[in-house]
Amino acid sequence: MTPELIRVLVADDQALIREGIASLLSIEPGIEVVGTAADGRAAVALACETNPDVVLMDVRMPVLDGLRAAELLRDRLPTCRVLMLTTFDDEEYVVRALRAGTGGYLLKDLPPRELVQAVRLARAGVDQHDSAALRRLVTALDRAAPQRPARIDLTEREQAVLRLVAVGATNREIATRLHLSEGTVKNHVSRILERLGLRDRTQAAIYARDRGLL
């Protein structure tokens, strides 16, 4: 069977970047560029019209910025995955992107092959965030508030899993470190996210750092 096409919309106010990304993606097998937009309002309107699987969204755009556009798409097209693609690793933008429920925050200097892979991973439901941007975010959180002890309703095993998740370990790496099966680790991670009311591993990492588990 032919794999289903990944339908992508590209939003960037710089024509050269916008069309360059669109051209790059359009030649990739299994990816179809359904449209481009030069501002956030146009991106939202076009996304509602074309129903893409993934939107590559610049942060700073005229008329309506990309982060506000992402918030609108979260409500109007909940199955659409928005990847923020920007030159800015400002912690304020990263925080807003997380709150908007985006599927990632990436910088424009990543190699073309990694951008293509990011689109495929986004369609598969994998969140992706630039490591430098996340480090700036964690530093800002540390400055904003001292680490505070808090009651954590997790077993010792679940806390051990959470610590490893927070440092970026994969399920396979966690399984090896804790002498568990990958299936058991996957179940632990799912229970941790559900119990703590967290959406993904990125939020779990921030939770662990904020509560002094690292």
Side-chain angles (χ1 to χ4, degrees):
M1 295 179 61
T2 302
E4 184 179 354
L5 282 175
I6 302 173
R7 307 175 74 252
V8 181
L9 187 151
V10 180
D12 196 296
D13 64 330
Q14 297 185 46
L16 185 62
I17 293 177
R18 182 174 67 247
E19 298 306 324
I21 293 173
S23 297
L24 169 70
L25 295 177
S26 64
I27 63 175
E28 289 294 323
I31 295 179
E32 176 188 5
V33 177
V34 297
T36 63
D39 62 71
R41 182 178 297 172
V44 172
L46 188 56
C48 291
E49 178 183 336
T50 60
N51 194 26
D53 301 303
V54 178
V55 176
L56 289 176
M57 185 86 75
D58 190 15
V59 170
R60 289 188 180 178
M61 290 189 292
V63 185
L64 186 71
D65 70 54
L67 291 164
R68 178 55 182 151
E71 293 173 349
L72 294 175
L73 288 178
R74 175 193 59 196
D75 298 331
R76 299 180 188 182
L77 296 175
T79 62
C80 176
R81 301 280 289 173
V82 178
L83 281 179
M84 306 308 300
L85 188 61
T86 178
T87 57
F88 304 100
D89 62 354
D90 188 290
E91 56 262 22
E92 178 185 351
Y93 291 153
V94 181
V95 170
R96 287 184 59 194
L98 290 172
R99 288 175 175 168
T102 63
Y105 192 99
L106 303 174
L107 300 184
K108 288 180 179 178
D109 60 357
L110 80 169
R113 298 308 310 169
E114 291 186 17
L115 177 59
V116 173
Q117 181 67 5
V119 169
R120 299 190 190 281
L121 289 173
R123 180 66 180 86
V126 179
D127 286 353
Q128 306 153 82
H129 299 280
D130 179 81
S131 58
L134 281 182
R135 282 195 297 271
R136 287 175 62 86
L137 171 61
V138 171
T139 300
L141 291 175
D142 289 342
R143 289 197 309 266
Q147 291 182 342
R148 58 188 184 278
R151 182 169 178 264
I152 302 172
D153 294 324
L154 298 177
T155 66
E156 289 186 8
R157 175 67 76 188
E158 288 169 340
Q159 290 187 44
V161 171
L162 177 58
R163 289 188 187 96
L164 291 171
V165 168
V167 296
T170 66
N171 286 351
R172 177 174 297 181
E173 291 168 341
I174 295 172
T176 300
R177 288 280 299 276
L178 300 181
H179 306 290
L180 303 171
S181 70
E182 286 190 57
T184 298
V185 172
K186 184 177 180 180
N187 290 337
H188 276 313
V189 172
S190 296
R191 281 199 300 271
I192 290 168
L193 295 179
E194 180 179 2
R195 190 170 296 174
L196 300 180
L198 304 174
R199 187 172 62 86
D200 52 39
R201 296 170 85 101
T202 300
Q203 291 189 354
I206 295 173
Y207 179 96
R209 292 174 188 273
D210 192 41
R211 281 155 180 79
L213 290 179
L214 300 182

